[in-house]
Amino acid sequence: MDDADLSKLQVSPGTLSPKFNKDNSEYNITVASNVEKVNISCMTSDSGASYQIVGSGGSKSIPLKEGDVTVIKIEVTSEDGSTKFYVINAKRLSSKDASLAGLQLTEGVLDPPFAMDTFNYSCFVPFLTSNVTVKASAPDKKNEVKVSGGDPGKAIPLNVGETCIDVSVKSADGSNTQIYSISVVRKQLTRSVCFADTTQTMKFECPICLGPLYCPVSVKDSDPKHVFCGSCINELTRTSKFDPIDETPLATDWKQSETGLDKDISSAMVKSIYSYAGADDKVKYGDLGTHIKDSTHKPKLDLEEGGESCSDCSRKIAKGELEWHNANLCTAKHGNKDAKHTVQVRNWEKKMQQVLDETNVDTLVRNSQEQLKLYKKNLPKHGKAGSFEEGQSPIDYLNKASYMLASAIKCKGKQADLHYQLGLVLEEQYYATDMYGLKKDKDDMDDSFAALTIGGGGGKPHESTEEEDIRALCQQKGVGPNAPLSRILQAIDEEYKYLKDNGQSSKADYVQSLYILKSKQATQDGKTAQAASNEETPLGQAYLKYMDAVSLNQANAVYNINAGRILILQGKAQDAVQRLEVAVGLKPTLPIARFYLGLALVTQPSGAGSRIKEAITYLHDGVQYLLEQCTTAANTVKGESDGPVLHSEDMWRTSNVQLLRGFVQCAKLLMKTPQEKCMTPEEILHSAAVIATSNLCTLVSRGDIYQSMEWVLLDSHSTLLELLLTKKADPNWIAQRCQRLSAMIKSVTIPQSTQILQLQQQTCEKGVIIQPCNSHSLYLLGNAQLATSENDPSSDAGKKALEAAQLSFRASIEMEGKPSVGGETPSQLANQQWWVDKIKKEEAEKKAAEEKNKPAAGKGSAAAPARGGAASRGAAARGGRGAAAAGRGAPAARGGAAARGGAARGGAARGGPAARGGAARGGAAAGRGGAAAKPAAGGKAAAPAKQPAAAAKQPAAAAKSPEPAKEEEKPKDAKPVPSNAPLNKMSHLPRLGLARVLAREAKDSPEAHMLYNDVITMSPGLHDAYIELGELLVGSEPLKAVDVYAKFPFPEGESSFDDAYIHGEIVRLLMKNEKFDDPRLEKHMIAWGRVMGLGALEKYVDILDAKFKSQILMNVYAGVNNKKADDPDMQAFFKFKMWL
């Protein structure tokens, strides 16, 4: 009676979208431009019901208007009179319409899903996909469709990175064409790839990840062209807008896609990734995925295959490893490795157990798993900050899961699996905080250091606030948060001595613990090791739960592995070996157990010793296993729900820093002890660098794990540089690697420490040894020496480093315009102690070689010529371990913290006080990257036609440094200059560095002032040059400082925060000197207020108000609000303020 549904609805011509369903009341159809009408065919579900096509006059044929949408309404009336409408939106294409009706690829899924009026799509496909076919259909048969200029249905070859496919549709009358663009991206193969032609390796290598360029982009106007992987340079420029290679500023449109280069890389010939296993194939890089899929040389990851059984424990042992098994691993022979650990309920666990009343263990465990799924689902993505409602953040779900598991343990405390699961959740809390930046609310957090310093509360503060205490202490001592580590430690030490001298021993003991904590953070695993050893942190608590699980079930390999890997983090490698030997004894062929045992063996204080081959085997097997996982991942497109829920339970995840540390350790062991059928150290290190960089580009938060990944990248870079030096590779390649490692050191977020400074300076020295006449290499060396000096300026070493920096900068300036390769070593370099020591060492080695090859004395005998003697003077000397680092940037500003005018203006430059600017990444001698922040039109900083006068002068201040060598004392090791040797370019960078050195010696140095002016001329948009010159003048001639600041070329539109600092200094100095009528005051107050807000102007407004400068105040308030002074709202406000 009340059935008003249709059982049938058809349109001819055309097809309903979606397909007809009686419950769906709205549909769409599209017909060709020559279709003048459509016919509607309907049938009601109830024979007693009726229908009509509204407005058709009873006709079932509906006319359509060309180029328009005709809405067809079908009214269905049931037998009892109730009605229901079905709607068809019928679009008749115009003969001028150029649209697609459908678009799809044979591989991958379009994002967003296809829609006729959406013209740009992206699509990810597996690495092994070397071509795709585009299926495009037009609604009108008269439409002409072309795919990349050819006919549809033809396979389109894909680049290894990105391939842009254009699908063009021409209208029926030929008057219009529409382009649909598809960006097809093949997944990156995150492992080493070796080009058959070594010259192509240099050409196609990314300066950052050291892998083949992936989706390459170049920096506009760079010369020579600087090309990077798209993801790598995007990560480096998130907070720094400078070219990391040469520190030039990046224009707004700096990024240029290198599609042609991507195509060249894809067609280049590469060796098989299994060449170490005997594969001698060479294939096009674009076809490497197919080769990998079909290769018969893949490593056998199942170690039981072909193995042998132990007669004592009956376990299957990998082939050839029975001796190792019997010596240390057999559980039947070595059963005395029980964990000396007692299970107990600790205070933090008791608190967790008091949250819930549920006592059913199965229910608690099941509910905890649901909470963990919600945790994974809500994790923030890279580049997208998460915003969560109260109680629904990922960390909240983790907390709930931990409470449930703790309650389950309360009910069944002897069930080892519950302890293990709680350990996983607690460890995940550490990752949630560090990798994703999620914070746990701590309502009970006390102001411990406030109580410590003010005098209240004599007890020991809560451990979780130690970092806050250090920051508060340093702030009291005038040390900013971005100050060098040495300065922070000095401030803590000063507080310790003060408390000790005043009889406050308990507080002094706590401050001493802060000193120990902070000093350990200078090491690669410092913060993580501390967290793993501290019971008050989730990671330390996780370790205790893993040990609880081990104690309750000693025969579980997984429990022992988790305890062992945390012991490695804690720096207790010998204890870790015991736990991991148990694990490998229980599961002799389990790859992750073997890998961690190998890592524990080599990280012992005494190394692996007689078990070196065993350690290499375990590590290499793990390297193979992870790389095969990476290969599989590259050849599949997984969904977000795939894989383990928790990071802590996925020990083979690529973000596991310990795995990548194992890569580096394995490579170093193979350098000393080569093994057959193993990958080369170069392959392993390149793979480690590529994987580490991939993690850096995807980690949400820049925490401890991010910095650990940076360390892996630096270690890989420096060890590869050592290999090139050892093999005496192409000097140009070595020099290029030195500059690239230098760039990486300047760009990382790792806090400044002695270790990083040594790496920095050693790398720069190697670069100068290879090319002593290269002006940029000399500048980088000076930068590194200046950074070393700034780390401890009052020490003898710091003073000597400052003198050496001056010589290096002068040498860099002197070499401008001269060939960068060959020629005579600059005298300023020859006078430096490290260079003198190098020459002496080479001469001693040469003499020793000659003595060794000298024939026995005898009548008429003559000395035979020495073969294989030491390298000639100026040749590359073998450096110490690790490539050292290039000038991580000279300090941006003198004075420790970057607190000009209040808040720190950015992260610390590498080796100096905090640089002004948004971030530490890219901080160099030129502050935020060392180059003009606002280049002239065309993207390049303006340079004078001739060398600035100051560059050629030797100032009086230079007398404090070693005197230049006399003409006759110049080195006699000049090398031939190649005919095609590039000339050194003139740059503002060494001038800025030299100005800083001279300013540290004497603020009134005329040469320093002259050099700063030269820098301003050469790079007019460089903030630091104006600010630092202004600081030199502000004490004696403040109005001249204003004149310097006012010369800065401020942009026409909105100012940046860096611009705002200069605006603020102009306002501050004019107000301090009571120059209220200076026309610059009003202008810069407005600009400063627009960036920093009216709050920044408040005290100056009060002063001007007291001086009855009402007109200035009205103009300023109106200007900050982007209004005119006669605006009605402004006028009302001015009356309220009584300025009118």
Side-chain angles (χ1 to χ4, degrees):
M1 295 288 292
D2 60 352
D3 186 352
D5 292 333
L6 289 177
S7 61
K8 171 186 173 184
L9 178 60
Q10 292 180 338
V11 181
S12 178
T15 303
L16 293 177
S17 176
K19 189 176 180 179
F20 174 73
N21 182 302
K22 66 176 184 177
D23 297 322
N24 188 12
S25 59
E26 187 166 1
Y27 301 88
N28 300 304
I29 64 166
T30 302
V31 296
S33 59
N34 60 350
V35 176
E36 297 180 353
K37 59 183 178 179
V38 293
N39 296 312
I40 308 297
S41 176
C42 303
M43 182 178 294
T44 60
S45 298
D46 187 346
S47 59
S50 62
Y51 73 89
Q52 66 168 334
I53 301 173
V54 179
S56 68
S59 174
K60 295 183 180 181
S61 181
I62 309 299
L64 303 178
K65 186 177 180 180
E66 183 180 356
D68 203 354
V69 176
T70 302
V71 179
I72 303 170
K73 290 185 178 181
I74 302 164
E75 183 183 17
V76 183
T77 305
S78 65
E79 191 172 351
D80 68 357
S82 59
T83 60
K84 181 178 181 179
F85 288 93
Y86 288 83
V87 178
I88 301 173
N89 300 307
K91 180 179 180 180
R92 176 186 172 186
L93 297 173
S94 166
S95 60
K96 299 182 180 298
D97 187 85
S99 301
L100 286 178
L103 181 64
Q104 62 181 12
L105 305 180
T106 52
E107 288 282 350
V109 179
L110 293 180
D111 182 27
F114 173 76
M116 185 177 289
D117 55 353
T118 301
F119 306 113
N120 294 293
Y121 301 88
S122 61
C123 176
F124 283 90
V125 298
F127 175 75
L128 61 78
T129 306
S130 57
N131 60 74
V132 294
T133 301
V134 179
K135 298 179 180 179
S137 59
D140 195 329
K141 293 181 180 180
K142 294 183 179 181
N143 290 134
E144 182 184 25
V145 179
K146 294 286 185 182
V147 177
S148 292
D151 295 331
K154 184 179 178 181
I156 305 295
L158 297 179
N159 296 330
V160 171
E162 181 181 21
T163 306
C164 294
I165 302 174
D166 287 339
V167 181
S168 63
V169 188
K170 186 178 287 187
S171 62
D173 65 1
S175 62
N176 293 312
T177 301
Q178 179 62 58
I179 303 294
Y180 290 78
S181 295
I182 310 171
S183 171
V184 182
V185 179
R186 291 170 70 174
K187 290 193 70 176
Q188 184 180 15
L189 181 66
T190 50
R191 63 182 298 168
S192 169
V193 175
C194 183
F195 289 92
D197 184 346
T198 55
T199 60
Q200 290 184 326
T201 301
M202 293 178 64
K203 180 181 178 182
F204 297 148
E205 181 182 88
C206 174
I208 300 168
C209 71
L210 300 182
L213 290 163
Y214 176 69
C215 300
V217 296
S218 64
V219 176
K220 183 179 180 181
D221 295 328
S222 55
D223 182 25
K225 185 180 288 187
H226 297 161
V227 188
F228 308 85
C229 293
S231 55
C232 292
I233 191 63
N234 286 343
E235 178 63 20
L236 284 187
T237 55
R238 276 173 64 189
T239 53
S240 173
K241 301 305 178 185
F242 295 86
D243 185 336
I245 299 297
D246 62 6
E247 305 170 33
T248 55
L250 298 175
T252 305
D253 57 344
W254 64 269
K255 192 183 298 184
Q256 293 186 320
S257 179
E258 292 289 335
T259 306
L261 181 59
D262 203 350
K263 188 174 182 180
D264 292 342
I265 295 171
S266 303
S267 60
M269 301 300 291
V270 299
K271 298 177 183 179
S272 171
I273 61 172
Y274 304 122
S275 57
Y276 70 95
D280 56 2
D281 308 69
K282 294 180 181 178
V283 298
K284 288 184 178 181
Y285 188 19
D287 298 329
L288 183 59
T290 303
H291 164 75
I292 292 171
K293 180 183 177 183
D294 300 333
S295 178
T296 58
H297 291 85
K298 292 180 183 178
K300 294 179 180 179
L301 302 180
D302 184 1
L303 298 177
E304 289 192 2
E305 186 178 339
E308 48 194 325
S309 296
C310 173
S311 58
D312 294 301
C313 66
S314 302
R315 291 188 171 89
K316 197 81 169 179
I317 311 301
K319 186 177 180 180
E321 296 184 7
L322 190 56
E323 182 180 345
W324 298 341
H325 178 78
N326 288 330
N328 297 288
L329 307 173
C330 180
T331 54
K333 295 180 178 180
H334 307 280
N336 58 343
K337 298 179 181 178
D338 290 350
K340 297 178 176 61
H341 177 84
T342 303
V343 179
Q344 55 182 294
V345 182
R346 301 159 189 91
N347 288 333
W348 52 266
E349 195 170 358
K350 289 178 182 177
K351 292 180 181 179
M352 295 167 67
Q353 292 174 349
Q354 294 170 1
V355 175
L356 303 174
D357 296 327
E358 178 65 56
T359 57
N360 186 296
V361 173
D362 291 338
T363 300
L364 287 166
V365 172
R366 185 171 57 253
N367 290 343
S368 71
Q369 295 304 312
E370 292 301 319
Q371 294 298 314
L372 295 180
K373 289 177 183 178
L374 290 170
Y375 159 76
K376 182 176 182 180
K377 181 180 178 182
N378 288 278
L379 283 173
K381 303 297 186 294
H382 182 263
K384 298 179 180 178
S387 178
F388 310 101
E389 294 183 11
E390 186 176 353
Q392 296 183 12
S393 75
I395 204 77
D396 290 323
Y397 296 125
L398 275 182
N399 290 338
K400 293 173 186 175
S402 66
Y403 301 153
M404 293 169 183
L405 290 170
S407 298
I409 291 172
K410 183 179 179 181
C411 300
K412 289 188 176 181
K414 299 295 183 181
Q415 190 170 326
D417 184 56
L418 295 176
H419 292 271
Y420 170 66
Q421 289 185 53
L422 178 56
L424 291 175
V425 173
L426 291 170
E427 185 179 352
E428 190 69 18
Q429 289 183 357
Y430 169 76
Y431 297 132
T433 301
D434 190 80
M435 297 171 63
Y436 294 93
L438 301 170
K439 301 299 180 183
K440 182 179 180 181
D441 292 333
K442 294 182 182 289
D443 296 332
D444 59 344
M445 185 179 292
D446 59 347
D447 297 325
S448 51
F449 192 74
L452 176 72
T453 54
I454 294 172
K460 181 183 177 182
H462 197 282
E463 286 83 346
S464 62
T465 64
E466 288 172 327
E467 284 295 336
E468 286 84 351
D469 292 346
I470 291 172
R471 283 193 290 270
L473 187 153
C474 288
Q475 188 174 6
Q476 288 186 351
K477 300 292 181 181
V479 178
N482 298 309
L485 182 61
S486 60
R487 184 67 189 94
I488 293 174
L489 292 173
Q490 183 182 350
I492 299 173
D493 186 54
E494 290 172 359
E495 180 67 15
Y496 168 77
K497 291 176 180 176
Y498 171 79
L499 293 171
K500 202 75 174 174
D501 292 344
N502 285 273
Q504 302 183 56
S505 57
S506 61
K507 295 178 180 178
D509 289 343
Y510 175 63
V511 172
Q512 186 178 43
S513 72
L514 296 181
Y515 185 94
I516 295 171
L517 179 145
K518 199 66 183 177
S519 60
K520 286 183 179 179
Q521 291 179 3
T523 61
Q524 293 191 22
D525 279 325
K527 289 185 178 180
T528 307
Q530 289 171 355
S533 305
N534 188 347
E535 187 182 339
E536 297 300 322
T537 69
L539 193 56
Q541 294 166 358
Y543 166 70
L544 294 174
K545 297 316 298 177
Y546 292 146
M547 288 303 298
D548 286 350
V550 169
S551 296
L552 293 168
N553 186 355
Q554 303 270 357
N556 187 293
V558 175
Y559 300 166
N560 280 282
I561 294 170
N562 280 276
R565 65 184 177 83
I566 302 296
L567 283 167
I568 295 174
L569 273 180
Q570 293 176 351
K572 301 175 181 177
Q574 291 172 315
D575 293 339
V577 168
Q578 272 208 333
R579 298 272 56 80
L580 293 163
E581 283 180 340
V582 172
V584 177
L586 293 167
K587 298 282 186 180
T589 59
L590 185 63
I592 194 65
R594 293 159 59 87
F595 180 87
Y596 271 112
L597 177 55
L599 185 59
L601 287 171
V602 300
T603 52
Q604 294 177 111
S606 58
S610 61
R611 300 177 70 179
I612 185 69
K613 186 175 180 180
E614 181 183 0
I616 291 175
T617 300
Y618 295 159
L619 287 172
H620 188 268
D621 286 350
V623 168
Q624 284 189 128
Y625 192 92
L626 181 60
L627 290 181
E628 285 305 298
Q629 281 204 342
C630 291
T631 304
T632 301
N635 286 330
T636 56
V637 180
K638 292 184 177 181
E640 291 184 3
S641 60
D642 296 330
V645 174
L646 300 179
H647 297 80
S648 53
E649 64 181 323
D650 183 10
M651 287 182 279
W652 281 116
R653 69 187 188 280
T654 57
S655 60
N656 183 345
V657 178
Q658 287 181 311
L659 295 183
L660 299 185
R661 289 271 167 78
F663 272 54
V664 177
Q665 291 286 352
C666 183
K668 290 179 178 179
L669 291 174
L670 287 170
M671 288 168 64
K672 297 177 181 177
T673 314
Q675 303 289 320
E676 293 183 358
K677 299 288 185 180
C678 282
M679 285 181 274
T680 65
E682 289 89 345
E683 288 178 291
I684 297 173
L685 291 167
H686 275 282
S687 296
V690 171
I691 296 172
T693 310
S694 176
N695 279 291
L696 292 173
C697 296
T698 53
L699 285 171
V700 175
S701 176
R702 292 179 174 177
D704 299 341
I705 292 173
Y706 188 97
Q707 291 179 359
S708 295
M709 287 293 173
E710 290 179 324
W711 268 118
V712 171
L713 184 57
L714 294 182
D715 276 348
S716 301
H717 267 265
S718 61
T719 311
L720 283 166
L721 179 57
E722 279 298 312
L723 282 166
L724 288 178
L725 288 165
T726 302
K727 295 181 177 180
K728 297 182 179 180
D730 182 351
N732 291 323
W733 196 356
I734 296 174
Q736 185 183 77
R737 280 283 180 82
C738 287
Q739 292 198 7
R740 290 176 174 183
L741 177 54
S742 167
M744 279 307 308
I745 295 172
K746 288 183 292 183
S747 301
V748 296
T749 64
I750 300 169
Q752 180 177 291
S753 64
T754 302
Q755 186 178 7
I756 204 76
L757 289 173
Q758 288 175 346
L759 181 62
Q760 176 186 16
Q761 186 155 332
Q762 289 168 8
T763 300
C764 293
E765 288 173 357
K766 290 171 184 174
V768 170
I769 289 170
I770 292 297
Q771 292 184 347
C773 296
N774 187 301
S775 179
H776 190 65
S777 295
L778 290 164
Y779 152 71
L780 292 174
L781 176 61
N783 223 10
Q785 292 163 335
L786 181 55
T788 300
S789 170
E790 287 294 326
N791 192 53
D792 192 5
S794 59
S795 67
D796 289 341
K799 293 174 182 177
K800 289 178 180 178
L802 191 65
E803 292 175 355
Q806 181 178 162
L807 291 173
S808 296
F809 289 135
R810 290 193 184 281
S812 176
I813 295 170
E814 180 182 299
M815 296 310 298
E816 290 177 346
K818 298 178 181 179
S820 60
V821 180
E824 194 173 75
T825 302
S827 60
Q828 297 93 336
L829 178 60
N831 286 333
Q832 296 188 33
Q833 189 60 49
W834 74 271
W835 183 270
V836 172
D837 293 341
K838 178 190 84 74
I839 296 298
K840 287 180 179 179
K841 181 180 178 182
E842 290 175 349
E843 289 175 346
E845 290 174 350
K846 183 178 181 180
K847 186 176 181 180
E850 289 172 349
E851 290 294 330
K852 183 178 180 180
N853 293 317
K854 187 180 295 184
K859 188 176 179 179
S861 64
R867 297 185 64 185
S872 63
R873 295 180 63 174
R878 285 196 173 169
R881 176 198 169 277
R888 206 160 148 108
R894 296 161 295 285
R900 289 197 180 93
R905 295 174 57 78
R910 184 61 57 200
R916 291 167 301 280
R921 297 179 75 89
R928 296 161 306 281
K934 294 176 183 62
K940 291 187 178 180
K946 60 182 180 179
Q947 180 170 315
K953 290 192 174 184
Q954 297 287 336
K960 297 181 182 180
S961 59
E963 294 181 3
K966 296 178 181 179
E967 188 67 29
E968 60 271 16
E969 294 176 350
K970 285 186 178 179
K972 299 180 177 59
D973 56 352
K975 295 181 180 180
V977 178
S979 58
N980 61 345
L983 298 180
N984 289 309
K985 297 179 181 179
M986 184 179 289
S987 170
H988 71 278
L989 294 172
R991 290 167 175 79
L992 184 60
L994 181 56
R996 285 173 168 159
V997 170
L998 297 173
R1000 278 153 179 74
E1001 294 178 346
K1003 284 192 174 184
D1004 59 351
S1005 166
E1007 188 184 10
H1009 290 211
M1010 194 179 303
L1011 284 164
Y1012 275 120
N1013 280 309
D1014 288 345
V1015 174
I1016 289 172
T1017 301
M1018 299 174 76
S1019 294
L1022 179 60
H1023 295 82
D1024 287 358
Y1026 297 86
I1027 294 170
E1028 291 173 26
L1029 177 56
E1031 287 177 342
L1032 296 182
L1033 296 168
V1034 72
S1036 57
E1037 299 177 282
L1039 295 181
K1040 281 192 176 181
V1042 173
D1043 294 337
V1044 170
Y1045 291 141
K1047 288 194 296 184
F1048 185 82
F1050 295 102
E1052 293 295 330
E1054 290 295 320
S1055 295
S1056 67
F1057 284 103
D1058 294 324
D1059 299 333
Y1061 176 79
I1062 299 179
H1063 289 306
E1065 283 298 281
I1066 293 173
V1067 172
R1068 182 181 69 83
L1069 292 173
L1070 290 176
M1071 291 295 297
K1072 182 177 181 181
N1073 289 275
E1074 298 187 348
K1075 299 296 181 181
F1076 306 127
D1077 296 323
D1078 190 309
R1080 295 174 295 188
L1081 178 61
E1082 180 182 309
K1083 171 186 173 182
H1084 291 286
M1085 285 186 74
I1086 292 172
W1088 192 31
R1090 284 179 176 174
V1091 178
M1092 305 304 294
L1094 286 167
L1097 303 174
E1098 188 174 347
K1099 72 174 182 178
Y1100 300 123
V1101 168
D1102 292 342
I1103 294 172
L1104 291 172
D1105 199 4
K1107 298 291 183 179
F1108 303 104
K1109 300 295 182 180
S1110 302
Q1111 188 59 50
I1112 295 177
L1113 290 171
M1114 289 190 290
N1115 292 340
V1116 167
Y1117 266 76
V1120 170
N1121 287 284
N1122 290 299
K1123 294 183 178 181
K1124 293 183 178 181
D1126 58 0
D1127 181 89
D1129 292 336
M1130 288 287 97
Q1131 290 285 306
F1133 176 74
F1134 298 155
K1135 289 178 181 177
F1136 171 77
K1137 298 290 288 185
M1138 294 187 293
W1139 293 341
L1140 283 178

